[in-house]
Amino acid sequence: MNIYNLIRPLLFKLPAETAHNLGLCALNLAAKTGITSLISKPKSAITEVMGLKFTNPVGLAAGLDKNGCAIDGLAACGFGFIEVGTVTPKAQNGNPKPRLFRLPEDEALINRMGFNNLGTTNLVTNIKRAKFHGVIGVNIGKNLTTSIENAHLDYCSALKDVYGVADYVAVNLSSPNTPDLRHLQFGDELKIMLQTLLNERENLANIHARNVPLLIKIAPDLNENEIKQISSTLLEFGINGVIATNTTLERSNLQNTSYRNETGGLSGKPLFNLSNQIISQLHAQLGNKIPIIAAGGIVSADDALTKIKLGAKLVQLYTGFIYQGPNLVRECVKALNLR
Ligand SMILES: Cc1cc2nc3c(=O)[nH]c(=O)nc-3n(C[C@H](O)[C@H](O)[C@H](O)COP(=O)(O)O)c2cc1C
């Protein structure tokens, strides 16, 4: 029985963010009471990337569990790894509501959440409490009140806070919902960011006797020249991985008329091709030197396979999971296992 098919129509009657919060609470409760054992899990298929062992190559993308409050429930849905965050050093409210919109005709979402989260201290407590033994990535960002010139200081402080509990740290330079954040993907801003974080990681690696991989998460709204420049900087600094991609500002070919002009990042099916172009261009530059983790519009097992064929080592789901639930995770793992 597919439990999610029963629950989804009820959740979709509620405003998107209310349904999101209720879903996370329910998952958390289900994990605590053991009900999640009813969800059938995909067979594991250990994949080693960046020196980490992933139970399977299908992960949860950042932003769904920003505070790490439902890690065990989400793990029970079959994910091989879970990326929590984006977390900022201090708690912040994010943008005014409504800020999350469903576009069911397009199997898409538009969000302008703006890094609503409870801060690093709360996240670290939640990760320590979780029983999940798989890979946990922590996605970090800057507080809204920190200027873009001082952004590297916030990222550095977040890195310090989460280092002890993270299997990898993803540096989010690509949310469209924090003013000017995407500027950090380019030129000297990117170099200052990477140098600061790598220096800090060297200190932390000595303190914790563990080298935590650092990944950069990029936008889909980049041209080929920008991808070349970013790739060359990532290679120069020896970054351990790249997550491609975040949500897009693009709005072409959407069926939905109610929300398509809402400000924010578009995710789900309409992002698939754009995101794939970025993966191909990245792979052409990086080869096998820096692993690519692919996110963006995976709504079927074939989509996950396509991303791997384009050069990704791992994939992540968000919007497809909202529309299809754990079944999509299982289907994707099965398809990637059969490769
Ligand atoms: C509601 C929502 C919130 C998100 N929040 C974050 C975030 O905090 N940090 C981040 O790096 N990506 C965030 N993302 C982007 C996703 O992690 C993912 O990169 C993107 O949605 C593309 O994947 P998808 O098409 O499977 O959803 C968010 C996406 C959605 C839909």
Side-chain angles (χ1 to χ4, degrees):
M1 178 181 56
N2 186 341
I3 303 173
Y4 193 70
N5 281 350
L6 298 175
I7 301 169
R8 198 191 90 147
L10 303 174
L11 286 176
F12 273 43
K13 284 209 166 72
L14 301 169
E17 192 171 344
T18 312
H20 180 103
N21 293 335
L22 197 69
L24 275 188
C25 283
L27 259 180
N28 190 14
L29 195 70
K32 280 193 177 134
T33 52
I35 296 174
T36 43
S37 57
L38 293 175
I39 305 172
S40 73
K41 281 233 190 77
K43 274 201 191 128
S44 73
I46 305 288
T47 308
E48 201 168 328
V49 184
M50 304 178 294
L52 300 172
K53 287 197 170 71
F54 294 78
T55 332
N56 71 58
V58 182
L60 174 73
L64 200 148
D65 190 5
K66 289 179 192 278
N67 299 309
C69 64
I71 293 173
D72 292 330
L74 288 161
C77 295
F79 289 110
F81 62 108
I82 290 180
E83 191 171 310
V84 293
T86 296
V87 67
T88 53
K90 287 179 273 171
Q92 63 177 29
N93 291 331
N95 289 322
K97 295 176 187 172
R99 53 192 179 179
L100 176 59
F101 308 91
R102 284 187 208 104
L103 291 75
E105 306 86 338
D106 302 294
E107 224 171 318
L109 295 169
I110 290 176
N111 91 85
R112 51 168 179 272
M113 306 301 285
F115 292 168
N116 55 308
N117 79 101
L118 298 172
T120 48
T121 309
N122 173 274
L123 177 79
V124 168
T125 308
N126 287 341
I127 294 178
K128 283 184 178 160
R129 236 181 242 152
K131 297 191 181 78
F132 177 56
H133 291 304
V135 170
I136 297 182
V138 179
N139 181 305
I140 58 173
K142 79 165 195 74
N143 279 112
L144 179 67
T145 50
T146 304
S147 69
I148 211 72
E149 291 74 26
N150 286 332
H152 58 289
L153 303 177
D154 261 19
Y155 281 88
C156 202
S157 148
L159 177 67
K160 261 195 230 166
D161 292 347
V162 305
Y163 197 90
V165 296
D167 293 306
Y168 71 79
V169 172
V171 180
N172 181 3
L173 304 181
S174 48
S175 167
N177 303 315
T178 297
D180 298 335
L181 195 85
R182 288 182 167 193
H183 293 181
L184 300 171
Q185 298 175 111
F186 308 113
D188 285 346
E189 279 94 335
L190 179 59
K191 290 186 178 174
I192 292 169
M193 176 66 70
L194 298 185
Q195 194 57 66
T196 313
L197 289 172
L198 289 171
N199 290 347
E200 188 57 51
R201 192 203 25 201
E202 206 176 313
N203 290 335
L204 291 164
N206 285 330
I207 297 168
H208 293 267
R210 198 167 65 95
N211 209 29
V212 173
L214 267 188
L215 290 77
I216 301 299
K217 182 161 178 180
I218 64 168
D221 308 309
L222 296 166
N223 63 38
E224 196 162 2
N225 196 31
E226 289 168 333
I227 290 288
K228 280 187 184 160
Q229 285 178 22
I230 292 172
S231 301
S232 121
T233 309
L234 299 185
L235 287 166
E236 180 190 335
F237 283 82
I239 288 301
N240 305 101
V242 53
I243 305 179
T245 67
N246 214 312
T247 56
T248 180
L249 297 171
E250 189 57 52
R251 290 292 190 272
S252 42
N253 304 323
L254 292 178
Q255 308 291 313
N256 181 284
T257 48
S258 315
Y259 301 124
R260 68 179 171 203
N261 294 322
E262 289 290 346
T263 303
L266 171 72
S267 59
K269 200 172 183 168
L271 171 60
F272 185 65
N273 288 333
L274 183 60
S275 196
N276 288 351
Q277 260 176 45
I278 300 288
I279 295 165
S280 301
Q281 291 168 7
L282 268 179
H283 192 245
Q285 298 302 315
L286 302 175
N288 287 326
K289 293 186 198 120
I290 301 183
I292 300 168
I293 301 186
I298 299 177
V299 298
S300 71
D302 274 351
D303 295 345
L305 259 176
T306 301
K307 302 263 186 202
I308 299 286
K309 284 183 184 150
L310 291 174
K313 293 276 181 270
L314 303 164
V315 299
Q316 291 181 324
L317 313 177
Y318 189 137
T319 305
F321 179 66
I322 298 292
Y323 281 96
Q324 300 178 38
N327 201 38
L328 179 63
V329 186
R330 266 194 307 273
E331 293 294 315
C332 290
V333 176
K334 202 163 109 193
L336 299 191
N337 283 352
L338 289 174
R339 252 179 314 155

